[in-house]
Amino acid sequence: MSIIKDFLLQLAFMVIPIFIYFTFITEKVESTKKKTVIMSVLWGISILFCMSFPVSFGQNARLELRIIPLLLGTLYGGFWSGIFLSALIIFFRLYFGISLGFYNTVLVLLFALPVILLFQKSFASSKKEKRVKIAVGLSLYYCLIGLTLFCILRGFLIDYFKVQIIHLLFVVAATWFFTVLYEAIREIHQLRSEMQNTEKLKVISELASVFAHEIRNPMQVTRGFLQLLNEPDLPKKKKEYIHISIEELDRANEIINDFLSFGKPSINNNGRIDVGYQLQRVVNMIQSYSLSHNVEIKTDFYNNGWIHANPQKLNQLLINILKNAIESMPDGGIVWITSCSTADGYIKITIKDQGIGMTKEQIDRLGSPFYTLKESGTGLGMMVSFQIVRSFKGKIQVASEKGKGTEFIILLPQIT
């Protein structure tokens, strides 16, 4: 009964960090880096408690579940989180004295940590089911390494071997449980965040429906009169003022169009589209705009790549992202647009620039209501783009580095 209590206590040491993180940290801390640091500290505290209150078998056998916070902290936190937690384990184990147990701990980490870090990127980009499999597989690998080194250093003893097998089974089961729990809670938070965004978009659509047309009518009248006032014999300064006024009215009209994209019901005019052909059309449409910004567009399109989509919406999506790419290079540069077919049944469209780039926090906020990096922007264009991708049952991925550029990857389901 005492052993069961000890194992339950070990499990509690892992539930508490997850509870604290999702209850107090996720919604109150915006910076991804700060979230990672806080979560690493919480997992570190969990490791210290696990090692301080182990499960004792007989006189010499001490078992604990430190592998689980180490594993989850590394897989969700990344490279530096894994290094921090591993160093914490080694130094805290050193506190108990140098013995065979200390050498066993160091050797297990030397063999296991590189493998965990190797799978970390794959884990971060995988779906829930694959993440659970990766976590369980790595926990099994860690325990097998520990079991092997334990037998080599201490010799094979049947009683200790049985204890280690029980430990292995318990660790694998607990890893599965906590990974599923973590993913389930994260999904709930994502759904809640999406619902909040949906409510914001609903307000936008209602406002757009009520006011957009009434605002546009006087704007068109004003624009017409400004054009009439723009006579050839006007002073240069006045012509410049009229030109700026017309440009600002046109910009306001574009914002209203973006609002109306949310306000009016979406009509399903989807059809069979050749992505390569559509991409070439978009490039032709935006060519003059890119040349005026001293930007060269390079293309490499996949032939006979068909998707089921609305051509007008696809054009809007691509033009929004291309304009952002062009405008991110104030001194000019190159934009690469490519398309190809993937092994998992998608048409992959890549738009890469040499622009100012973005931080991880900025990438995470892309597509949020009214979030923009441009001084005169509204963020509605990127909101529309993300909405269009979702309407095509596709995925959008963004990779960027500050000062080096940004890469948008759009994955749309391929049809035959």
Side-chain angles (χ1 to χ4, degrees):
M1 194 58 126
S2 176
I3 291 173
I4 294 173
K5 284 182 184 177
D6 290 341
F7 267 121
L8 289 175
L9 183 62
Q10 294 272 315
L11 294 177
F13 292 147
M14 274 155 283
V15 170
I16 292 169
I18 295 174
F19 171 78
I20 292 173
Y21 179 73
F22 284 109
T23 305
F24 302 106
I25 307 301
T26 306
E27 294 182 356
K28 294 181 182 178
V29 178
E30 291 187 359
S31 170
T32 304
K33 189 178 287 186
K34 286 181 181 177
K35 285 181 180 179
T36 303
V37 170
I38 292 169
M39 196 63 207
S40 298
V41 171
L42 290 173
W43 284 127
I45 293 169
S46 175
I47 286 171
L48 295 179
F49 276 113
C50 284
M51 294 178 71
S52 300
F53 302 95
V55 181
S56 298
F57 289 86
Q59 294 182 346
N60 298 317
R62 289 159 50 92
L63 301 175
E64 12 87 357
L65 303 180
R66 65 187 174 206
I67 165 58
I68 298 174
L70 169 65
L71 183 61
L72 296 181
T74 305
L75 291 177
Y76 286 105
F79 177 82
W80 290 112
S81 182
I83 297 297
F84 164 73
L85 294 174
S86 299
L88 188 67
I89 289 173
I90 291 171
F91 283 115
F92 195 66
R93 185 63 185 81
L94 188 61
Y95 170 77
F96 292 105
I98 296 177
S99 60
L100 280 177
F102 173 76
Y103 294 124
N104 188 75
T105 297
V106 173
L107 288 171
V108 170
L109 285 173
L110 284 175
F111 280 104
L113 185 62
V115 177
I116 296 172
L117 292 173
L118 182 67
F119 279 90
Q120 193 274 326
K121 285 188 177 179
S122 174
F123 178 88
S125 60
S126 298
K127 293 181 179 179
K128 176 183 173 181
E129 292 76 13
K130 190 175 179 183
R131 285 186 175 194
V132 174
K133 290 177 183 176
I134 290 172
V136 170
L138 288 173
S139 68
L140 180 61
Y141 169 76
Y142 184 99
C143 290
L144 288 173
I145 291 291
L147 180 60
T148 304
L149 290 172
F150 185 88
C151 292
I152 292 171
L153 293 173
R154 298 183 184 236
F156 181 81
L157 296 172
I158 189 65
D159 290 337
Y160 281 167
F161 183 76
K162 288 178 181 178
V163 170
Q164 292 293 330
I165 290 295
I166 293 169
H167 178 250
L168 182 150
L169 295 173
F170 194 81
V171 165
V172 170
T175 302
W176 173 85
F177 173 77
F178 283 110
T179 309
V180 170
L181 177 67
Y182 195 99
E183 288 293 325
I185 297 173
R186 195 164 75 157
E187 273 186 7
I188 291 168
H189 275 264
Q190 286 175 345
L191 286 171
R192 188 162 69 179
S193 177
E194 287 175 9
M195 284 178 66
Q196 289 171 348
N197 285 339
T198 301
E199 286 300 317
K200 290 179 183 177
L201 296 181
K202 187 179 177 182
V203 172
I204 294 170
S205 68
E206 289 174 355
L207 288 172
S209 300
V210 173
F211 295 114
H213 294 292
E214 295 303 321
I215 294 171
R216 181 179 280 171
N217 289 337
M219 282 175 52
Q220 293 300 327
V221 173
T222 305
R223 192 183 192 282
F225 280 117
L226 284 170
Q227 287 176 318
L228 289 173
L229 289 172
N230 193 15
E231 295 178 354
D233 56 346
L234 273 178
K236 185 179 178 182
K237 205 69 179 173
K238 288 187 177 180
K239 278 181 170 288
E240 186 180 334
Y241 292 154
I242 290 171
H243 179 68
I244 292 170
S245 298
I246 291 173
E247 278 188 345
E248 288 303 301
L249 283 170
D250 289 340
R251 192 171 76 84
N253 194 49
E254 286 179 9
I255 294 170
I256 290 171
N257 287 335
D258 285 337
F259 270 105
L260 286 172
S261 295
F262 295 101
K264 61 188 176 184
S266 179
I267 300 170
N268 186 7
N269 289 327
N270 292 352
R272 185 179 164 87
I273 296 174
D274 183 347
V275 173
Y277 171 76
Q278 205 67 29
L279 282 169
Q280 190 59 58
R281 284 194 63 193
V282 169
V283 170
N284 293 339
M285 284 190 282
I286 207 165
Q287 195 76 51
S288 60
Y289 185 77
S290 67
L291 291 174
S292 68
H293 285 73
N294 196 30
V295 172
E296 180 186 358
I297 297 178
K298 293 188 175 182
T299 63
D300 182 15
F301 300 144
Y302 173 69
N303 293 323
N304 294 320
W306 297 88
I307 62 170
H308 188 68
N310 182 311
Q312 284 76 32
K313 284 187 176 181
L314 181 61
N315 286 355
Q316 185 180 7
L317 160 68
L318 296 170
I319 289 170
N320 279 344
I321 295 175
L322 277 170
K323 280 186 71 178
N324 283 344
I326 291 166
E327 290 166 1
S328 73
M329 296 183 286
D331 300 322
I334 300 173
V335 173
W336 290 270
I337 311 172
T338 63
S339 67
C340 64
S341 177
T342 67
D344 54 350
Y346 287 93
I347 294 293
K348 178 181 175 183
I349 301 169
T350 305
I351 299 174
K352 187 177 181 181
D353 63 57
Q354 299 175 314
I356 57 175
M358 293 179 285
T359 63
K360 180 72 168 60
E361 289 76 14
Q362 289 170 334
I363 292 172
D364 290 340
R365 293 188 64 189
L366 277 181
S368 300
F370 304 114
Y371 180 73
T372 179
L373 300 175
K374 294 186 283 188
E375 289 182 9
S376 59
T378 62
L380 290 171
M382 195 53 66
M383 284 170 63
V384 172
S385 300
F386 275 70
Q387 188 185 58
I388 290 170
V389 172
R390 285 194 292 268
S391 72
F392 293 162
K393 295 181 173 54
K395 295 182 281 188
I396 187 164
Q397 301 167 356
V398 186
S400 186
E401 191 173 343
K402 203 71 175 170
K404 292 191 176 180
T406 302
E407 182 180 52
F408 276 84
I409 296 173
I410 303 162
L411 297 167
L412 301 173
Q414 185 174 7
I415 62 172
T416 55

